[in-house]
Amino acid sequence: TTFAATDEERAGARSAAVAGLDAFNGGRFQESVELFEKAEAVVHSPVHLLYIARSHLQLGHLVEAREAYMKITRAGAPDGASAAVTDAVDNAEKELEQLEPRLPQVTVKVTGAGDKKFQLFVDGRELSAALAGISRPVNPGKHEFSVKAEGMKRTPVSREFTEGARDEVTLHLDVDPNAPVPTKDT
């Protein structure tokens, strides 16, 4: 949780939030996310997080929307919170409940690794190898999955996910005959 140190910072955060709301109401959802994230970085508010979630939802970023909603619902409204804060928490709970069944889920399995350490990648970004075999949410749309291990071929797999889909992606590691052979010093 962040707290503004000065009145000037709080005023700046309020200006960013007002501009974020204007962007949201104008259908400029990426801009809305960025402005509300700036406001949230200075002053924590469930209202900022609610609009971050709603903007991500409009952009089709269901995973990011879910995470923002969950930050709100986990923290709840403190005693004596303003109506805006309690309304944001109530709305986040309702909207999260509606979002959950829409989230596509994927289980990425890796075969052929043996005892080799491997790295998982989704859309070119590394994902913890510890998540292999675990069902997890993914945004709707096309995603590329790949696995990398020393001396093994990297074969990407692309898959399209629709809202609510449940799918499994199996990545198989094969020995790369062109890989350099590790030499042992004698």
Side-chain angles (χ1 to χ4, degrees):
T1 304
T2 55
F3 296 96
T6 67
D7 287 342
E8 186 176 344
E9 287 174 322
R10 280 189 291 278
R14 191 173 301 108
S15 293
V18 167
L21 184 59
D22 182 58
F24 182 86
N25 289 333
R28 299 183 316 277
F29 302 113
Q30 186 59 49
E31 182 183 344
S32 176
V33 167
E34 292 164 8
L35 288 163
F36 276 110
E37 284 178 344
K38 287 178 181 184
E40 181 66 14
V42 179
V43 177
H44 167 66
S45 171
V47 177
H48 299 160
L49 292 172
L50 183 64
Y51 278 96
I52 289 169
R54 288 175 173 171
S55 296
H56 276 303
L57 203 56
Q58 292 297 320
L59 292 165
H61 305 160
L62 305 189
V63 173
E64 293 83 351
R66 177 183 187 234
E67 291 305 310
Y69 283 133
M70 289 179 79
K71 286 177 187 173
I72 300 167
T73 61
R74 283 185 182 138
D79 290 339
S82 69
V85 168
T86 57
D87 287 349
V89 172
D90 291 344
N91 285 326
E93 288 170 355
K94 291 175 192 153
E95 293 171 29
L96 177 60
E97 189 177 319
Q98 294 168 352
L99 171 61
E100 287 291 349
R102 294 177 54 195
L103 277 162
Q105 297 283 330
V106 63
T107 303
V108 179
K109 295 188 175 182
V110 176
T111 62
D115 59 358
K116 286 186 179 275
K117 286 189 176 184
F118 60 86
Q119 295 171 283
L120 277 179
F121 295 87
V122 179
D123 300 326
R125 292 184 317 274
E126 189 169 358
L127 179 72
S128 173
L131 293 176
I134 306 292
S135 179
R136 65 175 197 81
V138 65
N139 284 321
K142 189 174 184 176
H143 297 281
E144 183 178 277
F145 301 85
S146 63
V147 61
K148 180 170 116 179
E150 188 178 332
M152 308 298 267
K153 284 193 247 180
R154 189 171 178 172
T155 308
V157 173
S158 290
R159 190 71 52 85
E160 182 85 24
F161 293 88
T162 58
E163 285 193 12
R166 303 289 181 262
D167 207 348
E168 188 175 287
V169 173
T170 301
L171 301 171
H172 186 73
L173 285 167
D174 291 308
V175 174
D176 184 350
N178 300 319
V181 178
T183 58
K184 294 186 179 176
D185 295 320
T186 54

